[in-house]
Amino acid sequence: MALGTGSEALARLGGERVDHRFKGLPPDAEGLTVQELAAQRRNLFTGGFTTPVLALSAERLEHNLKVMESYAARHGLAFAPHGKTSMAPQLFRRQIDHGAWGITLAVPHQVRVAYGYGFRRLFLANELVDAAALRWVAARLDADPDFRLICYVDSVRAVRLMDEALKGVSRPLEVVVELAAGEGARTGARTEAACAEVADAVAATGTLRLAGVAGYEGEVPRADPERVRAWLRRLVALAAGFDADGRFAGLEEIVVSAGGSAWFDAVADVFAGIPELSRPVLKVLRSGAYVSHDDGHYREVTPFNRIPGEGVLQPAFRLWTQVVSRPSAEQAFANAGKRDAAYDLHLPAVQVVRRDGVERPADGIEVGALSDQHTWLRTAPEADLEVGDWVGLGLSHPCTSFDKWQLIPVAEADGTVVDYIRTFF
């Protein structure tokens, strides 16, 4: 099935005018198109950018794309990275160019963004019961033979709502039964018997087609390697049981899907042991945070810490902020805050200080707190920090970094900005 390139829609992003909507960009660039500004190859530090400004490392971004491309290929996985991490069609395109099978989304708005930029193979890792959204899906299924959407379902009630909204659709919407990660976890049918009831309800409609099973191992209570693998084996057994009961008759392939950014090694291990079924198995891995990685949560939990021979991901974000106040020897304030930096899992980490074009380690400086527009810095006696210094912060949790910036410079190691990434949250 062909994937739409969306080349014209993506090209239009380059024609967007730079103005006050986009934080951190040079004021004297107002009125230029994004493409014109990128062609100037301005320097992040000397080219008129204002603080705070978030930048993606061009080299590290490309490195991470290649690492996960090779990992998925090596383990026979169909990679559908979770687009809700970045909501950046330019990055979706690069992920597809690096071998991704499709793009995963979380809510109907995100599906519409991806579709609008030409992506036609989409996985909605969530339940979909909104009638208006389902009518939009039905219209796309009717009009576009290249459009393939797979989404979760976890209850008989949801099946009925979906069936009602999709009445008259020319081809059925593909669904996977979601197995919950355990009692008290997030969405998903809690038992195999409940999953079977959902599958039976799907089979009774003409608007839905059972494509396989799925879930999210990151929600396993008290997750550790043993518990995560045990749940993944349940998921595989559910697929095998459905197949033995003839529930996948008539399919070209059976979808089995899992995979966040913390346990994709377990997914690869357990999915490698999927027994031979009546149809080929499409093993869909959905990890998404890898694209930028981070300097906090995912750096600590990446599977590559457990299996270093498989690869290494590199943090690609750095938030540059400027010291605006130094009221005491123990305290300083910079001009980035909660509106600019991810803080839901960890506070930013101070990495470097830049003064007069010279960059050095940020010895004796750490973030103590964030206000709306200020970073509270604690400074030890050895800290060399002055008003006007630029401070480079490493961020935790890319999922809440991308959503704070609509247009993100992509900078090479010497500061040359070579591209701008547009986000849609």
Side-chain angles (χ1 to χ4, degrees):
M1 181 177 293
L3 283 169
T5 64
S7 56
E8 292 183 3
L10 288 171
R12 285 197 294 273
L13 290 176
E16 194 164 11
R17 296 287 173 181
V18 175
D19 59 24
H20 60 273
R21 292 171 295 163
F22 304 124
K23 299 190 293 184
L25 299 193
D28 66 350
E30 184 159 351
L32 295 176
T33 67
V34 173
Q35 185 176 17
E36 288 168 344
L37 180 57
Q40 292 183 356
R41 296 177 64 86
R42 296 196 186 196
N43 188 278
L44 187 69
F45 308 109
T46 62
F49 291 84
T50 64
T51 56
V53 59
L54 179 68
L56 268 172
S57 163
E59 295 88 354
R60 292 184 171 205
L61 175 62
E62 180 65 17
H63 168 86
N64 292 342
L65 290 165
K66 289 179 177 178
V67 165
M68 286 303 290
E69 176 185 17
S70 62
Y71 182 83
R74 192 160 57 247
H75 290 278
L77 300 169
F79 192 32
H82 213 317
K84 59 93 175 176
T85 299
S86 69
M87 281 310 297
Q90 293 151 286
L91 294 183
F92 297 172
R93 180 72 262 159
R94 292 184 67 174
Q95 290 170 312
I96 295 296
D97 290 344
H98 279 277
W101 170 87
I103 300 295
T104 296
L105 292 315
V107 293
H109 156 71
Q110 296 172 359
V111 172
R112 291 183 61 200
V113 170
Y115 185 89
Y117 283 93
F119 300 95
R120 294 295 183 265
R121 190 181 287 152
L122 306 176
F123 191 106
L124 181 61
N126 205 347
E127 279 66 30
L128 177 57
V129 296
D130 185 290
L134 284 162
R135 288 193 294 270
W136 179 89
V137 169
R140 300 289 81 72
L141 289 170
D142 287 343
D144 188 348
D146 289 332
F147 180 44
R148 184 180 186 188
L149 177 67
I150 302 171
C151 71
Y152 282 1
V153 65
D154 73 352
S155 69
V156 173
R157 166 71 173 169
V159 171
R160 290 172 181 162
L161 291 172
M162 296 174 79
D163 182 48
E164 181 178 342
L166 292 169
K167 288 295 186 188
V169 71
S170 61
R171 57 189 175 103
L173 171 62
E174 295 180 79
V175 296
V176 286
V177 174
E178 183 191 6
L179 174 66
E183 287 298 326
R186 205 163 62 186
T187 54
R190 266 28 187 181
T191 66
E192 283 75 1
C195 288
E197 290 178 3
V198 175
D200 287 342
V202 169
T205 74
T207 59
L208 303 174
R209 180 170 63 197
L210 182 65
V213 299
Y216 175 47
E217 75 291 340
E219 287 294 319
V220 169
R222 303 180 306 282
D224 61 24
E226 182 178 346
R227 290 187 177 94
V228 167
R229 283 174 169 80
W231 177 82
L232 286 164
R233 287 191 289 270
R234 282 183 63 198
L235 185 69
V236 169
L238 180 66
F242 277 8
D243 189 49
D245 292 339
R247 298 183 188 277
F248 299 132
L251 295 184
E252 294 182 2
E253 60 189 7
I254 299 167
V255 175
V256 181
S257 179
S261 295
W263 296 102
F264 58 75
D265 57 331
V267 174
D269 288 347
V270 175
F271 280 13
I274 293 178
E276 184 174 350
L277 302 182
S278 65
R279 304 287 187 275
V281 177
L282 186 72
K283 306 171 185 178
V284 179
L285 178 71
R286 306 190 308 269
S287 311
Y290 82 99
V291 68
S292 62
H293 200 44
D294 71 1
D295 280 291
H297 177 70
Y298 286 113
R299 181 190 62 190
E300 296 168 1
V301 304
T302 176
F304 291 144
N305 290 340
R306 298 186 289 269
I307 47 171
E310 291 273 21
V312 176
L313 294 173
Q314 299 176 349
F317 268 139
R318 180 165 283 174
L319 176 63
W320 289 98
T321 182
Q322 194 168 22
V323 177
V324 294
S325 180
R326 188 79 160 98
S328 72
E330 298 80 27
Q331 198 174 36
F333 291 87
N335 64 348
K338 293 179 180 179
R339 302 293 184 261
D340 313 299
Y343 61 92
D344 57 319
L345 296 181
H346 299 288
L347 289 172
V350 186
Q351 296 177 328
V352 295
V353 174
R354 189 177 182 90
R355 181 190 303 160
D356 298 328
V358 177
E359 196 171 295
R360 54 184 167 75
D363 297 330
I365 308 170
E366 63 179 16
V367 175
L370 291 177
S371 297
D372 284 353
Q373 299 294 174
H374 287 95
T375 302
W376 295 57
L377 298 172
R378 291 196 292 255
T379 54
E382 71 272 17
D384 178 12
L385 194 65
E386 297 179 354
V387 170
D389 289 349
W390 282 39
V391 177
L393 303 178
L395 301 179
S396 176
H397 203 194
C399 295
T400 54
S401 297
F402 278 102
D403 65 355
K404 301 179 189 307
W405 296 83
Q406 294 184 61
L407 197 61
I408 303 171
V410 179
E412 295 180 339
D414 66 356
T416 301
V417 176
V418 296
D419 200 3
Y420 295 84
I421 300 299
R422 185 71 158 94
T423 65
F424 294 87
F425 283 94

